[in-house]
Amino acid sequence: MASQRRRQTQHQQPRFLIPVVSVIFAALLFLLALLSFLAPPPMSDNRLRRPAWIVGRSTGHDLWGSKLSKFFYGCSNASNKFAQAEVITQPNRYLMIATSGGLNQQRTGITDAVVAARILNATLIVPKLDSNSFWKDASNFTEIFDVDWFISFLSKDIKIIKQLPIKGGKIVAPYTMRVPRKCTERCYQTRVLPVLLKKHAVQLTKFDYRLANKLRTDLQKLRCRVNYHALKFTDPILEMGKKLVQRMRMKNRHFIALHLRFEPDMLAFSGCYYGGGEKEKKELGAIRKRWKTLHTSNPDKERRHGKCPLTPEEVGLMLRALGFGSDVHLYVASGEVYGGEETLAPLKALFPNFHSKETIASKEELAPFSAFSSRMAALDFIVCDESDVFVTNNNGNMARMLAGRRRYFGHKRTIRPNAKKLYSLFMNRTDMTWEAFASKVHTFQRGFMGEPKEIRPGRGEFHENPSTCICEYPEAKVLDSGSQGVVFLKGKRNDTGEEIGESTDHFLDEEPDWPDLDYVENHNGLGEKGMTYKNDTDYDMFLKFEEPELEEMLSD
């Protein structure tokens, strides 16, 4: 009997084990399924495009500003040796200028016109804005800038009137001429002053970048007073601009403003190629034919030399690699982007909080400005100026003007892509991890992040690097900027612009100045130094030297 029970027990044990084993196997299968669901899929050839590889949130307070900015401040007061306007202004000397290009290119002309009038001891007529260029904006000075503020703020520096005086019942007719680019103080005194003494009124045409980059300290400081204090937008533009800034601030404490500059005209002029096949080549080639004197482009060479704007996706990847997360709010200042939404989609995927003036303001609010390119550009200028971080995608007029302004008003973070170095990195990005890519971006962007003394004094355009107008507090000591690799030695620049002590920057910006080309235009056919232009061909030969103006026009 006992042996029978033992046999029954041994026979029943497998029956009890079968459910237990089934449960264990089911649990293992469930665990394997769960792990396969949670595990990342196999890496593709395009690893950097995968959001899983990119840091999700912003890290580090240095992203939004420089630790060193507190040691520097804008200083543009005139010295005691700078005589007031009522003392130096001579009677019967009137200077007019006709600006050229878009809003920011014209701003450089207005700024330099004030200094030119001071050099000539002349009265300046309120500048005439360009209404005939590519931008086709009929706005006059008073519709963009507060003219009364402009005149009154500069009253101690220069006499400004709204129009030429009337003599003998007629308005004084100005003599029209043109000065070379980068015309020095002596250049104005030898070329323009003799004509001004004889004709009493002179109008300088296409007045952009017609003043030397390097001038004596008091004249450089006058440039800063004009650009950063006297040129104030009209109240309607300022009020709308402030509304846009407030709406961005309501969305988040910090925001980035990006001047994307990826419009068809910019890409066509640059001669760059972005992989759009025959369609892209045909479309941009047709636009490029507007400028008959442009040489045949070599897209690969232009890209290697850093002369091509980054694509929207490349800009987004650069910013994410620097540490800006997907939670950051991005304000994009741009015209019609080539490729439309398809081109913008990767940038929007990287930064879903994507805004523009058209998305944060109604059509009714923008109606007073939308028909005028300069007024719309002014709104973007205000938002970009007030942003915590400004990112430029080319080194055009708006980028330079804002970079200089942001240096003057506290070295607010300003990022320029190091396009030459980033080009090779983007070309090889599929062969590295996200961490390696981000590390290289950090390395390549040293010297392009808007740190103090990042650019050697006197290098680049003065409007971009107003070093004469940047002073240091006495407590500035030997400091290392860490991530930017810029070293500051003890000393400071005083309010008169004199250097005390020395600095050993890693001089990272080596952009060439404009060539000082020698040509003059006047309506009487008489050139400088007695040269007579016998026919239109002779005159055209001189005008051909002005090709850089095309680039200036398109890079506003």
Side-chain angles (χ1 to χ4, degrees):
M1 189 72 177
S3 64
Q4 185 180 2
R5 282 199 299 269
R6 283 196 298 272
R7 285 197 299 270
Q8 288 176 348
T9 302
Q10 291 172 356
H11 182 69
Q12 290 174 352
Q13 280 177 351
R15 295 179 186 177
F16 291 111
L17 289 174
I18 290 171
V20 174
V21 171
S22 298
V23 170
I24 292 172
F25 272 111
L28 288 172
L29 287 172
F30 177 76
L31 184 61
L32 287 171
L34 183 64
L35 288 173
S36 65
F37 177 77
L38 294 176
M43 289 183 290
S44 67
D45 290 336
N46 203 5
R47 289 176 289 177
L48 288 176
R49 293 177 186 266
R50 297 193 55 78
W53 283 90
I54 302 176
V55 177
R57 299 187 66 83
S58 304
T59 56
H61 65 278
D62 284 354
L63 282 174
W64 298 104
S66 168
K67 292 179 179 178
L68 302 171
S69 61
K70 62 185 177 181
F71 295 102
F72 301 85
Y73 63 98
C75 52
S76 58
N77 291 336
S79 70
N80 295 330
K81 298 178 181 179
F82 197 66
Q84 294 197 5
E86 60 184 17
V87 176
I88 59 99
T89 305
Q90 299 298 311
N92 294 323
R93 290 189 196 178
Y94 300 98
L95 181 68
M96 299 178 69
I97 63 124
T99 60
S100 177
L103 174 67
N104 296 287
Q105 186 174 338
Q106 293 186 83
R107 191 179 185 114
T108 65
I110 295 166
T111 299
D112 290 348
V114 171
V115 179
R118 174 77 191 200
I119 291 170
L120 297 167
N121 294 333
T123 296
L124 179 68
I125 312 303
V126 169
K128 178 183 177 183
L129 301 188
D130 182 4
S131 60
N132 299 316
S133 71
F134 173 86
W135 304 97
K136 302 296 182 185
D137 188 330
S139 301
N140 60 39
F141 189 98
T142 60
E143 292 170 313
I144 304 292
F145 301 106
D146 186 334
V147 66
D148 293 325
W149 172 263
F150 179 71
I151 292 171
S152 63
F153 187 89
L154 295 170
S155 59
K156 292 182 179 180
D157 299 310
I158 184 177
K159 184 179 179 181
I160 305 173
I161 58 177
K162 295 182 179 179
Q163 61 183 18
L164 283 168
I166 298 174
K167 291 189 177 181
K170 297 181 179 180
I171 296 178
V172 176
Y175 180 88
T176 302
M177 62 183 294
R178 194 180 304 179
V179 293
R181 285 184 179 273
K182 302 298 183 186
C183 194
T184 63
E185 188 172 354
R186 176 175 170 77
C187 169
Y188 277 93
Q189 291 168 345
T190 58
R191 292 170 180 256
V192 183
L193 185 57
V195 180
L196 192 59
L197 292 175
K198 183 178 180 180
K199 302 292 184 179
H200 304 300
V202 167
Q203 175 172 275
L204 302 178
T205 62
K206 287 192 176 294
F207 199 81
D208 60 330
Y209 297 94
R210 304 288 170 177
L211 185 62
N213 214 36
K214 298 176 182 178
L215 300 170
R216 53 191 168 94
T217 296
D218 265 327
L219 293 180
Q220 297 287 55
K221 286 183 175 288
L222 176 57
R223 262 177 164 163
C224 295
R225 289 198 294 280
V226 179
N227 199 1
Y228 306 135
H229 299 285
L231 280 175
K232 186 174 75 170
F233 291 123
T234 59
D235 287 343
I237 291 174
L238 281 177
E239 288 167 8
M240 189 65 231
K242 288 177 181 177
K243 281 184 183 178
L244 296 175
V245 173
Q246 288 169 357
R247 288 170 190 176
M248 288 302 297
R249 293 270 177 236
M250 287 171 65
K251 296 177 184 298
N252 207 322
R253 180 185 174 190
H254 298 298
F255 74 93
I256 296 173
L258 166 62
H259 187 216
L260 191 54
R261 204 61 177 99
F262 205 72
E263 294 90 344
D265 62 284
M266 182 66 188
L267 303 187
F269 186 85
S270 68
C272 301
Y273 174 67
Y274 291 92
E278 287 302 316
K279 181 176 181 290
E280 178 185 324
K281 292 177 181 178
K282 184 177 179 180
E283 290 174 346
L284 297 185
I287 298 173
R288 190 172 172 83
K289 288 178 181 178
R290 295 176 188 171
W291 303 285
K292 297 178 181 179
T293 57
L294 287 180
H295 58 80
T296 302
S297 67
N298 182 334
D300 290 335
K301 182 179 178 181
E302 298 297 314
R303 195 99 153 107
R304 285 197 307 273
H305 290 178
K307 294 183 179 180
C308 296
L310 302 186
T311 67
E313 181 184 24
E314 289 169 346
V315 173
L317 287 171
M318 177 193 72
L319 291 175
R320 293 297 294 273
L322 288 172
F324 295 102
S326 60
D327 58 323
V328 167
H329 285 254
L330 191 68
Y331 178 93
V332 177
S334 176
E336 174 197 359
V337 172
Y338 183 69
E341 284 300 313
E342 184 179 353
T343 302
L344 287 173
L347 176 60
K348 289 183 176 181
L350 291 165
F351 291 96
N353 299 309
F354 185 97
H355 313 281
S356 67
K357 56 184 175 294
E358 288 80 10
T359 64
I360 60 175
S362 67
K363 288 185 178 180
E364 291 73 22
E365 287 177 310
L366 293 176
F369 315 96
S370 57
F372 305 94
S373 61
S374 289
R375 299 180 210 185
M376 292 290 272
L379 296 179
D380 278 337
F381 186 96
I382 292 169
V383 181
C384 291
D385 184 37
E386 293 292 327
S387 66
D388 300 282
V389 173
F390 172 59
V391 182
T392 171
N393 194 25
N394 79 321
N395 200 32
N397 293 296
M398 181 171 172
R400 287 197 289 262
M401 296 298 281
L402 278 167
R405 184 178 178 87
R406 290 170 69 87
R407 284 189 175 98
Y408 182 84
F409 288 109
H411 281 89
K412 292 186 285 186
R413 175 71 72 211
T414 302
I415 300 174
R416 293 183 302 140
N418 183 353
K420 190 173 182 179
K421 291 288 183 67
L422 291 176
Y423 163 74
S424 60
L425 183 59
F426 284 125
M427 291 300 100
N428 298 301
R429 66 188 184 182
T430 58
D431 298 327
M432 64 186 77
T433 64
W434 172 255
E435 290 75 14
F437 174 81
S439 176
K440 286 184 177 293
V441 169
H442 274 273
T443 300
F444 292 159
Q445 281 301 120
R446 288 175 184 167
F448 292 82
M449 298 292 288
E451 289 286 330
K453 289 192 175 181
E454 194 173 70
I455 303 177
R456 173 170 43 182
R459 296 302 300 176
E461 290 292 340
F462 181 79
H463 303 293
E464 179 185 12
N465 181 29
S467 54
T468 309
C469 303
I470 307 295
C471 296
E472 297 177 35
Y473 287 110
E475 61 268 28
K477 297 179 180 179
V478 179
L479 295 169
D480 181 47
S481 67
S483 64
Q484 300 308 311
V486 183
V487 178
F488 301 93
L489 293 185
K490 187 181 296 184
K492 74 184 189 78
R493 182 190 294 276
N494 62 27
D495 285 350
T496 62
E498 297 171 343
E499 289 284 359
I500 301 176
E502 297 178 350
S503 64
T504 56
D505 316 329
H506 294 270
F507 298 140
L508 297 167
D509 190 297
E510 295 294 334
E511 295 178 2
D513 288 336
W514 284 101
D516 189 2
L517 302 174
D518 186 15
Y519 53 85
V520 173
E521 168 197 30
N522 70 61
H523 289 175
N524 293 341
L526 189 66
E528 291 296 329
K529 301 178 182 178
M531 179 183 292
T532 302
Y533 305 142
K534 297 179 181 179
N535 54 47
D536 291 342
T537 304
D538 293 339
Y539 181 64
D540 288 344
M541 177 183 70
F542 282 82
L543 292 184
K544 285 179 183 177
F545 287 118
E546 289 205 285
E547 279 305 312
E549 287 181 0
L550 296 172
E551 186 173 4
E552 292 303 317
M553 179 183 76
L554 286 167
S555 58
D556 201 69

